[in-house]
């Protein structure tokens, strides 16, 4: 039964449809021409129309002596008459109508091609590929609505004919005349078109349009794969990318279809996010609208074009396809050929709001239903309301409305809605000035490389720039650089326009104008060769403003964005940018994306890096506006690393063919900042690898797994690296094995490890892999930390290690080094580590991996240190971390501040140091 819409007014109206015989002149003429047809339609209308039904009806016709072409035309008329009846009775919905017409078109093409190929091979032999030596089959590509599985009832079909290889036909009898493969398939194509489209006494099966083939109507009727590839690379235009999104093979060998897909996909779907598609589709739409307007001006009776007019079907299709062209190269789920399925995917991925998609889907169904009713009148391929009042009333009543005015009102509602959503995506933003800047009209000038340094300086001074002369020189140096002069004119113009738009923004959001402009120009220079990035910032002015705010706040953020401009896409949507992370959902997405690219290691490496970068930029955006504390940020960054380590291990294990178990008995143990959940944006990962598997292949297998893990993490790809990995803390350090059994690790820790290795163990934890090994590690860790130790010896060894670290990081400046100087962060960490090793035997709760601040508080609660002083040192640690974080956001490696800023904190740390080590 028909699936009902939630929009009840339209559906209720449809149920009041007038009798079918009065609605469609085609239906009436066809039924009345043969007294048996009404019964045939009634019988077929009870069936689910599919290939089996088509084949049976066709067989019945040919068995009665009707040739294939005539039988197919009779079947076609029966199918359309049946769909008209079911649709207008309300027992078939749009999905049934378009899927049935698509299935019938596929069936007709396949049957006719099989008959033509049989005829052609009888006359000329079998076409053979000159390279492969294999027989060749023609691939018929369905384009447009046929390719998308959404064919109209009276539509023509857009086809392209291709074949794999050139060569010649191989004859088997003297009567056969050999042809080149090209000539063979051109003749085959002509015969196929004739079989489908020639008008006979039974009408036609489908009109055929071949205009979408390479070089259009001036190109050869059939093209080899090599011809297609060369054409797409050398001559393929933007509108053809749009057309080839819908391409679907109706015939051909699966291997040949896959080979063709590898040729076409890079042309249609870019590896990067292609925001230039917005402007390309905008221009294409403008040309279509101009033509429709001309036609409507010349022929006012042809107004209300529901396909190409304002707010029509084409605008909905463009809305769906622009996201496919932008993102389809990176997200396979956006490559579906169906407009409706693509819209639903956009809602699922939050690329369009679900409520917007629901409105567009409802409008799409309304407009397509109306389009079908226009075609039901005379089985004509039309998309405009008819001129006569009588026909308009018939269409209105087929739509379930009592009069034309009501239909026109409902049509206008839908078109206004579609046009509004279309404009939100496609309106030209290049000349818009963001409202937030409130720039005076007299200051809204346009600067370019032809302006003098003095005039630019004067303008920047009017805007209030802190160093207008330096900023002006930098602007001119960028604009006149050889790198920019080599850009296409369109890209240069976009870049200049973006700089002009940015200047008032910079003046409004920061007091470090010249520095921010310098960072912005560095960024724009880095992305200028990718027109898509310039297009993104042009199309989304709020993304440009967000970039400026981020780079004004942080030099590190500016460098990060410059290295990874793909992240611009993350700045478009406040909902995702400001949302709290869902790490389980993130891990699921990573796994799904990795599985989609199974077998393509290079792509998997990029997926891991891109998804890591995307999460980092979201956290960075929240960090820069103060939405997350340093501690919470470190928790998130550590959780992010844990998930990436887990999914990387899983993906690598899947590449090990014929391994002796489904899941590896292998775990990654985190030390250092990852172990203590204090990870920063650019921290490396201190890890060791443990396994527990007695299989004879286990040592070599897990060593390979660990080595490949390090490779996947550290390899430089176009997307950068994932993490640097440090494995120096493994048993026996650099001279030790890459992987250790759990038992050997336990033995080493209890009998051979140095004290500093036990200090490191205070911040170690299970990270990823086999959870049982992780649990065993925690038992070993607690056992080692709770060993009885001789207090004085412990103290002296800890002090010696601290002195060694102090000597390795001398500070000859007048500033205080937050990390390395006495009274700083390292002192706090050594106090905590010493206290855990000194007292955990008596107080097992000290072995918990709860962080330095919580442990300092716990020491005080247990009476091991002065409680108030412990809290002060915890606060000092928090202050130091926050200061260090702010300094690193400015791209400075050494975390040093004027000592007067942290006098109280230093005093507290030195006080506790004296109490613990000197008291």
């Amino acid at each position: 039964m028909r699936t009902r819409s939630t929009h009840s007014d339209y559906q209720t109206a449809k149920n009041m449809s007038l009798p079918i015989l009065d609605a469609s002149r085609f239906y009436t003429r066809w039924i009345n021409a043969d007294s048996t047809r009404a019964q045939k339609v009634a019988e077929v209308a009870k069936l689910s129309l599919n290939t089996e039904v088509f084949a049976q009806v066709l067989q019945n016709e040919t068995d009665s002596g009707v040739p294939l072409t005539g039988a197919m035309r009779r079947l076609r008329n029966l199918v359309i008459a049946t769909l008209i009846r079911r649709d207008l009775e309300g027992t078939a919905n749009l999905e049934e109508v378009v899927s049935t017409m698509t299935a019938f078109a596929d069936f007709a093409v396949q049957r006719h091609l099989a008959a033509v190929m049989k005829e052609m091979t009888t006359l000329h032999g079998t076409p053979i590929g000159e390279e492969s030596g294999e027989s060749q089959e023609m691939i018929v590509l369905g384009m447009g609505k046929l390719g998308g599985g959404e064919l109209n009832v009276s539509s023509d079909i857009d086809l392209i004919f291709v074949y794999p290889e050139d060569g010649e036909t191989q004859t088997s009898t003297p009567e056969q005349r050999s042809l080149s493969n090209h000539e063979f398939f051109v003749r085959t194509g002509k015969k196929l078109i004739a079989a489908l489209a020639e008008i006979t006494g039974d009408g036609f099966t489908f009109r055929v349009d071949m205009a979408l083939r390479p070089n259009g109507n001036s190109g050869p009727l059939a093209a080899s794969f090599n011809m297609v590839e060369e054409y797409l690379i050398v001559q393929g235009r933007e509108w053809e990318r749009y057309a080839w999104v819908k391409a679907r093979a109706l015939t051909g060998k699966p291997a040949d279809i896959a080979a063709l897909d590898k040729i076409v996909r890079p042309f249609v779907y870019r590896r990067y996010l292609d925001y230039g598609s917005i402007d390309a589709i905008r221009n294409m739409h403008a040309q279509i609208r101009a033509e429709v307007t001309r036609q409507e001006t010349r022929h006012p009776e042809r107004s209300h074009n529901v396909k190409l007019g304002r707010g029509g079907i084409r605008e909905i299709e463009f809305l769906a396809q622009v996201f496919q062209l932008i993102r389809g190269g990176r997200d396979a789920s956006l490559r579906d050929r169906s407009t409706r399925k693509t819209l639903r995917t956009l809602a699922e991925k939050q690329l369009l709001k679900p409520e917007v998609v629901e409105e567009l889907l409802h409008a799409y169904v309304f407009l397509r239903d109306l389009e079908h009713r226009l075609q039901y009148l005379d089985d004509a391929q039309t998309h405009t309301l008819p001129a006569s009042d009588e026909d308009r009333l018939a269409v209105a009543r087929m739509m379930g409305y009592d009069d034309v005015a009501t239909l026109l009102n409902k049509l206008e509602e839908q078109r206004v809605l579609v046009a509004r959503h279309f404009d939100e995506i496609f309106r030209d933003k290049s000349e818009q000035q963001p409202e937030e800047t409130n720039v005076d009209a007299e200051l809204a000038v346009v600067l370019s490389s032809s302006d003098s340094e003095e005039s630019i300086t004067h303008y920047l001074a009017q805007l209030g720039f802190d160093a207008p002369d330096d900023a002006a020189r930098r602007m001119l140096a960028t604009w006149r650089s050889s790198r920019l002069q080599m850009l296409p004119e369109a890209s240069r113009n976009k870049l200049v326009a973006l700089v002009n738009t940015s200047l008032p923004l910079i003046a409004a959001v920061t007091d470090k104008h010249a520095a921010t402009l310098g960072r912005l120009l560095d960024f724009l220079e880095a992305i200028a060769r990718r027109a898509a990035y310039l297009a993104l910032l042009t199309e989304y002015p709020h993304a440009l403003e967000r970039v400026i705010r981020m780079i004004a706040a942080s030099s590190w953020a500016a460098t990060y964005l410059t290295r990874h401009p793909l992240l611009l896409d993350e700045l478009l949507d406040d909902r995702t940018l400001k949302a709290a992370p869902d790490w389980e959902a993130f891990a699921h997405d990573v796994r799904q994306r990795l599985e989609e690219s199974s077998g393509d290691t290079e792509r998997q490496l990029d997926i891991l890096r891109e998804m890591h970068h995307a999460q980092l930029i979201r956290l960075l955006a929240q960090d820069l506006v103060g939405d997350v504390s340093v501690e919470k940020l470190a928790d998130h960054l550590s959780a992010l690393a844990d998930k990436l380590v887990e999914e990387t291990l899983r993906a690598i294990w899947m590449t090990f063919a014929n391994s002796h178990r489904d899941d590896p008995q292998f775990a990654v143990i985190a030390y250092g900042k990852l172990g203590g959940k204090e990870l920063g944006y650019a921290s490396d990962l201190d890890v060791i690898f443990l396994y527990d598997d007695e299989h004879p292949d286990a040592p070599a297998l897990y060593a390979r797994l660990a080595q490949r893990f390090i490779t996947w993490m550290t390899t430089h790809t176009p997307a950068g690296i994932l993490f640097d990995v440090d494995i120096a803390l493994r048993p026996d350090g650099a001279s030790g094995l890459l992987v250790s059994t759990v038992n050997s690790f336990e033995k080493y820790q209890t009998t051979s490890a140095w004290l500093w290795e036990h200090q490191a163990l205070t911040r170690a934890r299970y990270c990823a892999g086999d959870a049982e090994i992780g649990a065993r590690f925690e038992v070993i860790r607690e056992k080692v930390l709770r060993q009885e130790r001789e207090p004085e010896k412990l103290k002296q060894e800890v002090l010696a290690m601290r002195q060694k670290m102090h000597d390795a990081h001398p500070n000859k400046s007048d500033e205080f080094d937050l990390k390395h100087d006495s009274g700083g962060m390292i002192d706090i960490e050594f106090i905590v580590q010493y206290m855990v090793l000194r007292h955990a035997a008596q107080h097992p709760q000290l072995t918990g991996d709860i962080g330095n601040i919580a442990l300092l508080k716990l020491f005080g609660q247990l009476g091991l240190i002065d409680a108030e002083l412990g809290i002060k040192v915890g606060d000092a640690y928090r202050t130091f971390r926050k200061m260090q974080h702010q300094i690193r956001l400015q791209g400075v490696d050494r975390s040093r501040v004027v000592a007067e800023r942290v006098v109280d904190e230093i005093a507290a740390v030195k006080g506790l140091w004296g109490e613990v080590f000197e008291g």
Side-chain angles (χ1 to χ4, degrees):
M1 293 296 292
R2 186 179 192 109
T3 302
R4 297 295 173 188
S5 169
T6 56
H7 301 262
S8 57
D9 56 341
Y10 166 46
Q11 291 296 340
T12 302
K14 281 194 63 177
N15 292 337
M16 300 186 295
S17 57
L18 74 170
I20 292 173
L21 291 178
D22 295 334
S24 167
R25 287 190 288 269
F26 163 78
Y27 184 92
T28 302
R29 288 194 301 268
W30 189 77
I31 288 289
N32 291 341
D34 187 327
S35 60
T36 65
R37 289 177 177 173
Q39 182 60 33
K40 281 185 180 180
V41 170
E43 292 173 357
V44 174
K46 297 175 184 178
L47 304 174
S48 176
L49 291 175
N50 53 38
T51 302
E52 288 72 21
V53 173
F54 301 153
Q56 184 59 57
V57 174
L58 189 70
Q59 187 69 48
N60 292 342
E61 291 288 349
T62 55
D63 286 349
S64 66
V66 179
L68 176 62
T69 52
M72 193 69 75
R73 283 154 173 73
R74 294 183 181 185
L75 172 59
R76 181 260 186 193
N77 292 332
L78 176 62
V79 168
I80 289 182
T82 302
L83 287 175
I84 291 173
R85 172 170 177 158
R86 285 180 56 78
D87 189 5
L88 296 183
E89 285 181 342
T91 56
N93 60 7
L94 177 65
E95 169 61 28
E96 179 181 325
V97 174
V98 297
S99 62
T100 299
M101 285 306 302
T102 301
F104 174 64
D106 289 359
F107 175 82
V109 168
Q110 291 159 4
R111 285 299 180 97
H112 279 306
L113 179 60
V116 171
M117 280 293 291
K118 183 177 181 181
E119 176 188 347
M120 287 293 293
T121 53
T122 299
L123 292 172
H124 303 289
T126 303
I128 301 295
E130 61 185 4
E131 295 180 8
S132 68
E134 296 180 359
S135 61
Q136 305 288 289
E137 293 184 12
M138 187 163 81
I139 297 177
V140 178
L141 294 173
M143 308 293 283
K145 287 187 170 62
L146 172 58
E150 297 172 327
L151 195 63
N152 282 329
V153 286
S154 299
S155 178
D156 59 7
I157 54 176
D158 296 293
L159 302 179
I160 295 177
F161 302 147
V162 297
Y163 58 94
E165 298 178 52
D166 285 316
E168 294 184 348
T169 60
Q170 187 177 81
T171 59
S172 56
T173 68
E175 292 80 17
Q176 291 177 331
R177 186 167 68 87
S178 180
L179 296 175
S180 68
N181 288 356
H182 179 72
E183 181 62 25
F184 179 92
F185 287 117
V186 166
R187 293 188 187 187
T188 299
K190 289 179 178 178
K191 288 179 177 290
L192 175 60
I193 292 171
L196 290 166
E198 281 184 356
I199 299 175
T200 70
D202 295 299
F204 60 91
T205 302
F206 285 104
R207 293 172 291 266
V208 176
D209 190 334
M210 299 293 298
L212 293 177
R213 69 186 188 268
N215 288 306
N217 290 328
S218 63
L221 194 64
S224 68
F225 283 7
N226 285 340
M227 293 172 64
V228 171
E229 183 171 24
E230 182 179 359
Y231 175 81
L232 295 180
I233 292 173
V234 177
Q235 300 182 54
R237 290 156 290 183
E238 279 294 324
W239 70 263
E240 287 176 295
R241 289 180 61 206
Y242 169 85
W244 280 83
V245 165
K246 298 286 189 181
R248 178 172 62 90
L250 313 185
T251 65
K253 300 177 182 178
D256 292 340
I257 294 170
L260 179 63
D261 183 62
K262 288 183 178 179
I263 293 171
V264 173
R265 185 180 298 173
F267 169 70
V268 177
Y269 298 112
R270 305 297 196 238
R271 287 179 64 88
Y272 52 87
L273 293 167
D274 186 11
Y275 282 91
S277 301
I278 296 177
D279 198 41
I281 290 184
R282 181 191 294 124
N283 292 336
M284 193 191 323
H285 175 262
Q287 293 172 17
I288 294 171
R289 287 289 304 123
E291 179 59 28
V292 170
T293 300
R294 280 194 295 272
Q295 292 295 329
E296 291 180 346
T297 301
R298 295 174 184 172
H299 307 282
E301 72 279 4
R302 297 181 186 174
S303 60
H304 296 299
N305 188 314
V306 300
K307 177 181 179 181
L308 302 178
R310 189 75 173 104
I313 295 166
R314 182 54 53 83
E315 289 192 358
I316 301 176
E317 293 171 342
F318 278 164
L319 272 168
Q321 286 190 270
V322 72
F323 286 97
Q324 292 184 290
L325 293 177
I326 291 171
R327 298 171 177 274
R330 310 191 76 83
D331 190 342
S333 66
L334 285 171
R335 297 176 194 161
D336 198 285
R337 300 175 182 91
S338 164
T339 297
R340 290 165 298 151
K341 289 180 182 177
T342 298
L343 285 171
R344 294 186 185 104
T345 301
L346 294 176
E348 291 169 7
K349 293 183 172 292
Q350 292 292 306
L351 296 171
L352 282 177
K353 294 179 181 178
E355 57 269 27
V356 171
V357 169
E358 280 303 310
E359 290 178 346
L360 289 172
L361 285 171
H362 175 65
Y364 185 80
V365 171
F366 178 93
L367 293 169
R368 289 296 303 273
D369 277 347
L370 177 55
E371 181 183 43
H372 285 155
R373 279 143 187 76
L374 299 176
Q375 296 174 358
Y376 290 166
L377 284 173
D378 292 300
D379 185 24
Q381 186 184 11
T382 181
H383 312 285
T384 59
L385 292 185
S388 77
D389 293 338
E390 182 181 350
D391 284 351
R392 287 194 173 198
L393 181 60
V395 170
R397 289 180 174 172
M398 278 192 276
M399 288 293 288
Y401 301 118
D402 291 331
D403 54 66
V404 175
T406 304
L407 170 63
L408 292 178
N409 287 336
K410 295 297 182 182
L411 174 59
E412 184 63 15
E413 286 178 15
Q414 298 304 319
R415 291 174 67 168
V416 167
L417 179 148
V418 172
R420 185 179 78 247
H421 291 313
F422 181 88
D423 287 344
E424 287 174 0
I425 299 295
F426 288 100
R427 68 176 179 271
D428 192 342
K429 297 97 170 174
S430 60
E431 298 180 358
Q432 295 181 0
Q433 180 70 41
E435 294 179 5
E436 295 85 349
T437 59
N438 297 318
V439 180
D440 293 337
E442 63 268 21
L443 295 184
V445 302
V446 177
L447 302 175
S448 71
S449 59
S450 61
D451 288 296
S452 68
E453 183 178 323
E454 291 73 19
S455 63
I456 296 175
T457 300
H458 177 70
Y459 173 62
L460 296 178
Q462 285 184 290
L463 287 176
F465 265 54
D466 57 348
D469 48 352
D470 292 341
R473 282 193 292 273
R474 177 61 206 278
M475 281 176 59
L476 285 173
T478 296
W479 282 348
R480 294 172 181 174
S481 68
S482 58
R483 177 186 295 184
L484 261 67
Q485 296 307 312
M486 293 171 63
L487 291 176
E489 183 179 1
S491 293
R492 281 202 310 277
N493 292 340
K494 275 194 172 76
L495 189 144
V496 170
L498 287 170
V499 173
N500 276 284
T501 302
S502 300
L503 294 175
L505 286 169
I506 292 172
V509 305
T510 182
D511 56 3
K512 296 176 287 189
H513 309 119
T516 300
L517 177 61
R519 294 170 188 174
L520 178 66
L521 292 173
D522 287 341
F523 171 70
L524 292 176
E525 285 180 23
I527 69 170
R529 292 179 61 186
R530 281 284 177 84
Y533 295 137
L534 299 177
L536 182 153
L537 293 172
T538 302
E539 297 291 344
Y540 296 94
H542 69 279
L544 176 63
E545 180 181 354
R546 183 161 282 138
V547 166
I548 291 170
R549 290 183 182 277
M550 291 183 76
I551 66 177
S554 167
S555 173
W556 186 88
T559 302
Y560 193 72
L561 270 174
T562 301
R563 288 177 181 168
H564 308 292
L566 185 67
L567 295 174
L568 285 173
D569 181 60
E570 297 297 326
L571 305 182
L572 300 183
D573 191 341
D574 281 349
R575 292 171 299 169
T576 55
L577 195 63
K578 296 181 179 180
D582 181 340
W583 296 121
E584 293 306 317
F586 170 75
H588 179 267
D589 289 345
V590 173
R591 186 176 309 175
Q592 185 175 38
R593 295 279 300 278
L594 289 173
E595 289 174 353
E596 288 173 357
S597 296
S598 179
D600 186 349
T601 300
E602 181 180 347
R603 181 67 195 126
Q604 288 179 315
L605 294 181
D606 279 342
I607 286 169
L608 289 166
R609 284 150 179 75
E610 289 160 9
M611 298 190 76
H612 180 219
H613 296 328
Q615 291 299 322
L616 278 189
I617 203 69
R618 294 177 189 179
L619 292 171
L620 179 61
Q622 295 175 26
D623 179 17
L624 293 177
V625 297
D627 286 349
V628 289
S629 66
V630 174
E631 290 83 2
K632 189 64 177 177
L633 175 67
D635 286 343
H636 283 321
L637 291 172
S638 301
L640 171 60
D642 286 353
K643 294 303 182 185
L644 289 168
V645 169
E646 181 72 50
E647 297 308 323
T648 300
L649 274 183
R650 185 189 303 273
I652 295 170
W653 188 253
M654 296 297 290
T655 68
F656 285 13
N658 304 318
S659 52
H660 63 282
R661 60 175 65 254
D662 292 335
D663 298 307
Q665 288 186 317
F666 177 93
V668 178
I669 306 301
Y671 279 74
K673 290 193 178 299
L674 179 59
K677 297 184 179 179
E678 294 184 353
L679 214 62
Y681 290 119
S683 298
D684 58 8
L685 305 185
D686 292 294
V687 297
I688 67 168
F689 307 110
L690 301 181
Y691 72 96
D692 185 24
D693 191 334
E694 296 182 358
H695 191 278
D697 296 337
L701 181 66
Y702 293 126
R704 282 175 53 217
L705 176 58
Q707 186 58 62
R708 196 167 296 180
F709 170 83
I710 294 170
T711 300
W712 277 46
M713 288 277 160
T714 61
T715 296
H716 281 268
T717 76
I721 69 166
L722 193 52
F723 292 101
D724 280 320
V725 175
D726 190 333
I727 55 172
L729 291 171
R730 69 188 187 276
D732 291 316
S735 63
L737 297 173
L738 184 59
V739 296
S740 304
T741 65
V742 176
N743 289 337
S744 67
F745 174 79
E746 180 176 15
K747 182 179 179 181
Y748 177 83
Q749 288 291 337
T750 54
T751 63
S752 305
W754 296 86
L755 179 66
W756 64 265
E757 292 177 285
H758 288 178
Q759 286 181 254
L761 205 59
T762 63
R763 287 159 62 88
R765 64 180 176 85
Y766 161 74
C767 174
D770 187 282
E772 290 186 11
I773 295 177
R776 289 186 61 189
F777 166 78
E778 293 297 339
V779 171
I780 295 168
R781 174 181 174 276
E782 182 172 353
K783 174 184 173 183
V784 171
L785 294 181
R786 293 193 62 199
Q787 287 179 355
E788 290 283 357
R789 293 175 171 84
E790 198 281 308
E792 190 59 30
K793 180 182 179 184
L794 172 65
K795 182 184 294 186
Q796 294 307 316
E797 289 192 33
V798 171
L799 287 172
M801 178 57 67
R802 177 66 187 102
Q803 186 61 45
K804 186 176 180 180
M805 289 189 66
H806 192 281
D807 294 343
H809 297 87
N811 179 9
K812 297 179 181 179
S813 74
D814 294 331
E815 294 184 312
F816 176 72
D817 191 308
L818 294 169
K819 183 175 181 180
H820 295 290
D821 281 355
S822 297
M825 296 169 68
I826 296 291
D827 275 4
I828 299 173
E829 292 170 0
F830 267 69
I831 289 170
V832 171
Q833 292 164 12
Y834 168 77
M835 293 295 291
V836 171
L837 296 176
R838 171 69 179 81
H839 297 288
Q842 295 77 35
H843 302 285
Q845 61 266 50
L846 296 181
T847 62
D849 186 21
I850 59 176
N852 291 321
I853 295 173
L855 282 169
L856 285 163
K857 184 177 181 181
L858 183 56
F859 298 154
Q861 292 172 345
L862 294 172
L864 302 176
I865 61 172
D866 180 275
E868 184 177 350
L869 186 55
I871 291 174
K872 286 183 178 179
V873 173
D875 290 341
Y877 191 70
R878 183 180 291 111
T879 299
F880 290 159
R881 284 187 64 194
K882 185 174 182 179
M883 286 182 166
Q884 181 189 54
H885 180 66
Q886 293 300 325
I887 291 169
R888 288 181 173 171
L889 281 177
Q890 298 311 317
V892 179
D893 292 332
R894 291 180 175 176
S895 302
R896 294 175 179 175
V897 298
V898 176
E900 285 73 16
R901 292 180 60 190
V902 286
V903 169
D904 293 340
E905 288 82 2
I906 295 171
V909 176
K910 287 185 173 180
L912 185 57
W913 182 272
E915 178 183 327
V916 170
F917 289 110
E918 299 166 6

